[in-house]
Amino acid sequence: MLNDQLRRVLQQMPKAELHIHIEGSLEPELIFALAERNGIKLAYGSVEELRAAYAFTDLQSFLDIYYAGASVLLKEQDFYDMTMAYLKRAEADNVRHAEIFFDPQTHTARGVAMDVIINGIYRACQDSPVSATLILCFLRHLSEEDAIATLEAALPYRDKFIGVGLDSSEVGNPPEKFARVFARCRDLGLHLVAHAGEEGPPAYIYTALDTLKVERIDHGVRCLEDAALTERLAKEQMALTVCPLSNIKLCVFDQMEQHNLLQLLDAGILATVNSDDPAYFGGYMNDNFIATFEALPLGLSHAHRLSRNGFVAAFLPEEQKHKFLAEVDAFFAKI
Ligand code: HPA
Ligand code: ZN
């Protein structure tokens, strides 16, 4: 059990969230409210019925429901309301900075225009006291041509997102499938990240690094299966955006007691804690920290390190990064 002091520290310490899919923050209540507002009929009769369907066996079983939930988003205000609801929740968890993923192809495929998506999400970020930036994710189960067309459609709004990522069904869709579009994004000066080593093998982490030239690995927990890779990630201080509750809900680990977060830290890896899809996986940032610290032998020094790691790994100007890190260190100096 967590002692009261450690619980309070985990709740109150300043945090950066670097792995949050904004469509995965849609709570069932908001899904139903937006469905009603937009005259959309859902396959589930009630909030309770929808929530009861959140019993996942793997990544794909989640993605099927996640894409269905996102179908209620049609208007700019819908994207604004979803993002503002997340940012309010993040603020309550003392998240100071969030780098938010969004999946435009999930919406453009339903006829929603790119400007509606980006403007709605971006405007909420501007209106929030939480520092927030956007990362456009390509759906890896679709073709690279589709990703290239998506990038072209988003380029008029280039100033509203800081980077690109790669998400959706991992196994069978290796990073190298997207070599050309990532090379183009690199030329455009965008930051690069990719999901790798969640369900996929260590080989996908290697190609995310060497072919896509990403600056962070999303998840990456399977790196420990390869000693040379583990050593390399530590040496290069390549950040992993780890999502503990997600990993349990999607059966990457059977139980939190088996999660490898502490082994990653002990190997010298720059691991961070994040919520992934908080509405679907049982919690936001503080829930992820508390569940992890309850199950694993982690203490105050790990809390300090994880709080710092989030800002160290963030895509922030140096001056802003140091301001946040000073805030973290001041918080821990007072304990
Ligand atoms: N993995 C892959 N794709 C996703 C995820 C994830 O954890 N969440 C939302 N899309
Ligand atoms: Zn994710």
Side-chain angles (χ1 to χ4, degrees):
M1 272 305 287
L2 274 190
N3 69 45
D4 288 347
Q5 184 205 30
L6 185 52
R7 180 181 298 268
R8 225 176 318 110
V9 165
L10 294 174
Q11 288 164 342
Q12 293 175 3
M13 67 186 190
K15 296 167 194 81
E17 170 140 70
L18 307 179
H19 187 155
I20 159 76
H21 302 263
I22 199 62
E23 295 89 350
S25 75
L26 261 184
E27 292 287 347
E29 289 78 6
L30 188 53
I31 290 178
F32 271 83
L34 293 178
E36 189 168 354
R37 196 158 96 183
N38 288 329
I40 292 170
K41 181 108 178 65
L42 291 167
Y44 301 90
S46 67
V47 165
E48 293 70 32
E49 212 180 292
L50 176 57
R51 222 184 268 282
Y54 293 1
F56 313 117
T57 49
D58 58 11
L59 176 58
Q60 193 59 51
S61 66
F62 154 70
L63 290 170
D64 294 341
I65 288 191
Y66 162 83
Y67 294 130
S71 69
V72 300
L73 298 160
L74 288 183
K75 312 221 170 71
E76 187 180 314
Q77 193 63 37
D78 304 337
F79 289 91
Y80 181 95
D81 291 346
M82 166 178 68
T83 308
M84 188 49 87
Y86 162 70
L87 287 166
K88 287 218 161 89
R89 197 60 190 70
E91 188 187 1
D93 280 4
N94 291 301
V95 172
R96 297 278 187 278
H97 175 68
E99 296 181 2
I100 299 175
F101 295 145
F102 67 109
D103 288 343
Q105 286 153 298
T106 300
H107 316 298
T108 52
R110 298 180 288 109
V112 180
M114 187 65 82
D115 68 316
V116 166
I117 303 164
I118 296 185
N119 289 336
I121 300 173
Y122 184 79
R123 193 156 53 81
C125 293
Q126 296 278 292
D127 288 350
S128 170
V130 177
S131 154
T133 52
L134 300 179
I135 295 176
L136 182 161
C137 281
F138 302 116
L139 298 181
R140 68 202 301 158
H141 68 275
L142 301 178
S143 68
E144 187 179 44
E145 287 66 36
D146 205 313
I148 291 169
T150 302
L151 175 65
E152 293 302 330
L155 280 185
Y157 316 99
R158 166 69 185 84
D159 58 322
K160 294 192 167 71
F161 58 100
I162 62 158
V164 298
L166 190 62
D167 65 3
S168 191
S169 320
E170 185 182 5
V171 175
N173 296 296
E176 54 271 29
K177 180 177 162 185
F178 296 90
R180 287 178 307 154
V181 70
F182 268 67
R184 168 108 167 89
C185 291
R186 194 158 178 254
D187 288 342
L188 288 164
L190 287 158
H191 286 293
L192 308 178
V193 299
H195 284 52
E198 177 187 19
E199 285 189 344
Y204 286 21
I205 301 178
Y206 278 110
T207 51
L209 295 171
D210 296 329
T211 307
L212 302 190
K213 304 196 184 309
V214 299
E215 300 161 80
R216 288 196 304 245
I217 297 285
D218 295 313
H219 293 295
V221 289
R222 286 192 61 192
C223 71
L224 290 185
E225 294 169 26
D226 184 317
L229 177 60
T230 303
E231 206 174 301
R232 174 179 172 185
L233 293 172
K235 186 156 165 256
E236 295 178 3
Q237 285 295 282
M238 176 61 55
L240 301 190
T241 62
V242 177
C243 306
L245 283 172
S246 165
N247 292 155
I248 305 309
K249 283 291 191 301
L250 300 188
C251 309
V252 174
F253 300 95
D254 289 338
Q255 289 182 309
M256 197 60 95
E257 285 72 13
Q258 271 113 48
H259 199 284
N260 66 10
L261 177 67
L262 180 54
Q263 283 132 278
L264 293 170
L265 290 171
D266 284 346
I269 285 175
L270 190 80
T272 65
V273 168
N274 307 272
S275 73
D276 206 6
D277 300 283
Y280 292 90
F281 297 151
Y284 290 77
M285 280 293 265
N286 287 359
D287 303 307
N288 271 276
F289 275 102
I290 288 168
T292 315
F293 277 65
E294 270 180 343
L296 300 173
L298 294 160
L300 266 182
S301 64
H302 299 103
H304 189 175
R305 186 160 154 210
L306 287 165
S307 171
R308 289 192 114 258
N309 284 357
F311 295 104
V312 169
F315 298 137
L316 280 170
E318 283 306 307
E319 195 182 321
Q320 217 177 331
K321 190 178 285 211
H322 284 117
K323 195 175 104 287
F324 282 126
L325 287 169
E327 192 192 335
V328 171
D329 291 343
F331 175 88
F332 280 92
K334 275 194 278 180
I335 291 162

PDB file of all heavy atoms in Angstrom, residues 21 59 62-63 66 167-168 195 198 219 276-277, ligand 1:
ATOM      1  N   HIS A  21      -3.773  10.053 -26.615  1.00  0.00           N
ATOM      2  CA  HIS A  21      -4.553  10.163 -27.861  1.00  0.00           C
ATOM      3  C   HIS A  21      -5.829  10.908 -27.497  1.00  0.00           C
ATOM      4  O   HIS A  21      -6.614  10.416 -26.679  1.00  0.00           O
ATOM      5  CB  HIS A  21      -4.905   8.780 -28.409  1.00  0.00           C
ATOM      6  CG  HIS A  21      -3.695   7.942 -28.687  1.00  0.00           C
ATOM      7  ND1 HIS A  21      -3.130   7.831 -29.934  1.00  0.00           N
ATOM      8  CD2 HIS A  21      -2.926   7.181 -27.858  1.00  0.00           C
ATOM      9  CE1 HIS A  21      -2.074   7.039 -29.871  1.00  0.00           C
ATOM     10  NE2 HIS A  21      -1.924   6.628 -28.621  1.00  0.00           N
ATOM     11  N   LEU A  59      -4.630  -5.124 -28.473  1.00  0.00           N
ATOM     12  CA  LEU A  59      -4.725  -3.779 -29.050  1.00  0.00           C
ATOM     13  C   LEU A  59      -5.895  -3.673 -30.032  1.00  0.00           C
ATOM     14  O   LEU A  59      -6.675  -2.711 -29.988  1.00  0.00           O
ATOM     15  CB  LEU A  59      -3.387  -3.434 -29.734  1.00  0.00           C
ATOM     16  CG  LEU A  59      -3.305  -2.105 -30.489  1.00  0.00           C
ATOM     17  CD1 LEU A  59      -3.615  -0.919 -29.577  1.00  0.00           C
ATOM     18  CD2 LEU A  59      -1.918  -1.925 -31.118  1.00  0.00           C
ATOM     19  N   PHE A  62      -9.383  -3.238 -28.657  1.00  0.00           N
ATOM     20  CA  PHE A  62      -9.591  -1.862 -28.189  1.00  0.00           C
ATOM     21  C   PHE A  62      -9.830  -0.922 -29.363  1.00  0.00           C
ATOM     22  O   PHE A  62     -10.762  -0.111 -29.349  1.00  0.00           O
ATOM     23  CB  PHE A  62      -8.387  -1.402 -27.358  1.00  0.00           C
ATOM     24  CG  PHE A  62      -8.205   0.086 -27.362  1.00  0.00           C
ATOM     25  CD1 PHE A  62      -9.108   0.908 -26.695  1.00  0.00           C
ATOM     26  CD2 PHE A  62      -7.150   0.675 -28.059  1.00  0.00           C
ATOM     27  CE1 PHE A  62      -8.967   2.292 -26.727  1.00  0.00           C
ATOM     28  CE2 PHE A  62      -7.001   2.050 -28.091  1.00  0.00           C
ATOM     29  CZ  PHE A  62      -7.913   2.866 -27.428  1.00  0.00           C
ATOM     30  N   LEU A  63      -8.980  -1.023 -30.386  1.00  0.00           N
ATOM     31  CA  LEU A  63      -9.059  -0.069 -31.504  1.00  0.00           C
ATOM     32  C   LEU A  63     -10.441  -0.098 -32.163  1.00  0.00           C
ATOM     33  O   LEU A  63     -10.972   0.949 -32.543  1.00  0.00           O
ATOM     34  CB  LEU A  63      -7.962  -0.364 -32.534  1.00  0.00           C
ATOM     35  CG  LEU A  63      -6.522  -0.049 -32.087  1.00  0.00           C
ATOM     36  CD1 LEU A  63      -5.510  -0.605 -33.088  1.00  0.00           C
ATOM     37  CD2 LEU A  63      -6.305   1.457 -31.893  1.00  0.00           C
ATOM     38  N   TYR A  66     -12.590   2.023 -29.991  1.00  0.00           N
ATOM     39  CA  TYR A  66     -12.045   3.396 -29.979  1.00  0.00           C
ATOM     40  C   TYR A  66     -12.447   4.153 -31.261  1.00  0.00           C
ATOM     41  O   TYR A  66     -12.889   5.299 -31.206  1.00  0.00           O
ATOM     42  CB  TYR A  66     -10.540   3.252 -29.811  1.00  0.00           C
ATOM     43  CG  TYR A  66      -9.616   4.385 -30.142  1.00  0.00           C
ATOM     44  CD1 TYR A  66      -9.360   5.407 -29.231  1.00  0.00           C
ATOM     45  CD2 TYR A  66      -8.905   4.389 -31.351  1.00  0.00           C
ATOM     46  CE1 TYR A  66      -8.445   6.413 -29.517  1.00  0.00           C
ATOM     47  CE2 TYR A  66      -7.980   5.378 -31.645  1.00  0.00           C
ATOM     48  CZ  TYR A  66      -7.763   6.391 -30.727  1.00  0.00           C
ATOM     49  OH  TYR A  66      -6.840   7.372 -31.020  1.00  0.00           O
ATOM     50  N   ASP A 167       0.488   5.420 -35.117  1.00  0.00           N
ATOM     51  CA  ASP A 167      -0.263   4.606 -34.151  1.00  0.00           C
ATOM     52  C   ASP A 167      -1.176   3.622 -34.879  1.00  0.00           C
ATOM     53  O   ASP A 167      -1.013   3.400 -36.065  1.00  0.00           O
ATOM     54  CB  ASP A 167      -1.013   5.503 -33.144  1.00  0.00           C
ATOM     55  CG  ASP A 167      -2.087   6.350 -33.789  1.00  0.00           C
ATOM     56  OD1 ASP A 167      -2.315   6.226 -35.006  1.00  0.00           O
ATOM     57  OD2 ASP A 167      -2.705   7.154 -33.049  1.00  0.00           O
ATOM     58  N   SER A 168      -2.095   3.015 -34.150  1.00  0.00           N
ATOM     59  CA  SER A 168      -3.006   1.963 -34.621  1.00  0.00           C
ATOM     60  C   SER A 168      -2.300   0.592 -34.647  1.00  0.00           C
ATOM     61  O   SER A 168      -1.276   0.430 -33.986  1.00  0.00           O
ATOM     62  CB  SER A 168      -3.620   2.318 -35.973  1.00  0.00           C
ATOM     63  OG  SER A 168      -4.672   1.422 -36.274  1.00  0.00           O
ATOM     64  N   HIS A 195       4.830   4.762 -32.237  1.00  0.00           N
ATOM     65  CA  HIS A 195       4.560   3.624 -31.368  1.00  0.00           C
ATOM     66  C   HIS A 195       5.401   2.455 -31.865  1.00  0.00           C
ATOM     67  O   HIS A 195       5.391   2.147 -33.064  1.00  0.00           O
ATOM     68  CB  HIS A 195       3.083   3.213 -31.456  1.00  0.00           C
ATOM     69  CG  HIS A 195       2.128   4.104 -30.720  1.00  0.00           C
ATOM     70  ND1 HIS A 195       2.098   5.455 -30.885  1.00  0.00           N
ATOM     71  CD2 HIS A 195       1.158   3.807 -29.813  1.00  0.00           C
ATOM     72  CE1 HIS A 195       1.154   5.960 -30.103  1.00  0.00           C
ATOM     73  NE2 HIS A 195       0.564   4.991 -29.442  1.00  0.00           N
ATOM     74  N   GLU A 198       5.140  -2.092 -28.410  1.00  0.00           N
ATOM     75  CA  GLU A 198       3.983  -2.257 -27.503  1.00  0.00           C
ATOM     76  C   GLU A 198       3.563  -3.725 -27.625  1.00  0.00           C
ATOM     77  O   GLU A 198       3.752  -4.503 -26.692  1.00  0.00           O
ATOM     78  CB  GLU A 198       2.852  -1.300 -27.898  1.00  0.00           C
ATOM     79  CG  GLU A 198       1.584  -1.452 -27.046  1.00  0.00           C
ATOM     80  CD  GLU A 198       0.399  -0.617 -27.567  1.00  0.00           C
ATOM     81  OE1 GLU A 198       0.410  -0.214 -28.739  1.00  0.00           O
ATOM     82  OE2 GLU A 198      -0.565  -0.420 -26.782  1.00  0.00           O
ATOM     83  N   HIS A 219       5.492   3.749 -26.019  1.00  0.00           N
ATOM     84  CA  HIS A 219       5.488   2.431 -25.375  1.00  0.00           C
ATOM     85  C   HIS A 219       6.931   1.917 -25.290  1.00  0.00           C
ATOM     86  O   HIS A 219       7.640   2.270 -24.378  1.00  0.00           O
ATOM     87  CB  HIS A 219       4.562   1.414 -26.063  1.00  0.00           C
ATOM     88  CG  HIS A 219       3.113   1.755 -25.953  1.00  0.00           C
ATOM     89  ND1 HIS A 219       2.444   1.769 -24.757  1.00  0.00           N
ATOM     90  CD2 HIS A 219       2.196   2.098 -26.895  1.00  0.00           C
ATOM     91  CE1 HIS A 219       1.178   2.106 -24.959  1.00  0.00           C
ATOM     92  NE2 HIS A 219       0.999   2.324 -26.246  1.00  0.00           N
ATOM     93  N   ASP A 276      -2.171   7.384 -22.292  1.00  0.00           N
ATOM     94  CA  ASP A 276      -2.539   6.749 -23.568  1.00  0.00           C
ATOM     95  C   ASP A 276      -3.985   7.065 -23.981  1.00  0.00           C
ATOM     96  O   ASP A 276      -4.202   7.980 -24.773  1.00  0.00           O
ATOM     97  CB  ASP A 276      -2.293   5.229 -23.488  1.00  0.00           C
ATOM     98  CG  ASP A 276      -2.032   4.592 -24.841  1.00  0.00           C
ATOM     99  OD1 ASP A 276      -1.932   5.322 -25.839  1.00  0.00           O
ATOM    100  OD2 ASP A 276      -1.895   3.347 -24.896  1.00  0.00           O
ATOM    101  N   ASP A 277      -4.942   6.298 -23.450  1.00  0.00           N
ATOM    102  CA  ASP A 277      -6.367   6.495 -23.773  1.00  0.00           C
ATOM    103  C   ASP A 277      -7.151   6.442 -22.468  1.00  0.00           C
ATOM    104  O   ASP A 277      -7.816   5.444 -22.162  1.00  0.00           O
ATOM    105  CB  ASP A 277      -6.838   5.391 -24.730  1.00  0.00           C
ATOM    106  CG  ASP A 277      -6.062   5.399 -26.024  1.00  0.00           C
ATOM    107  OD1 ASP A 277      -6.341   6.258 -26.877  1.00  0.00           O
ATOM    108  OD2 ASP A 277      -5.140   4.578 -26.173  1.00  0.00           O
TER     109      ASP A 277
HETATM  110  N1  HPA B   1      -1.404   1.832 -29.607  1.00  0.00           N
HETATM  111  C1  HPA B   1      -1.643   1.969 -30.898  1.00  0.00           C
HETATM  112  N2  HPA B   1      -2.563   2.773 -31.387  1.00  0.00           N
HETATM  113  C2  HPA B   1      -3.298   3.481 -30.536  1.00  0.00           C
HETATM  114  C3  HPA B   1      -3.112   3.370 -29.179  1.00  0.00           C
HETATM  115  C4  HPA B   1      -2.103   2.504 -28.689  1.00  0.00           C
HETATM  116  O1  HPA B   1      -1.833   2.355 -27.474  1.00  0.00           O
HETATM  117  N3  HPA B   1      -4.024   4.195 -28.601  1.00  0.00           N
HETATM  118  C5  HPA B   1      -4.715   4.799 -29.591  1.00  0.00           C
HETATM  119  N4  HPA B   1      -4.289   4.362 -30.771  1.00  0.00           N
END
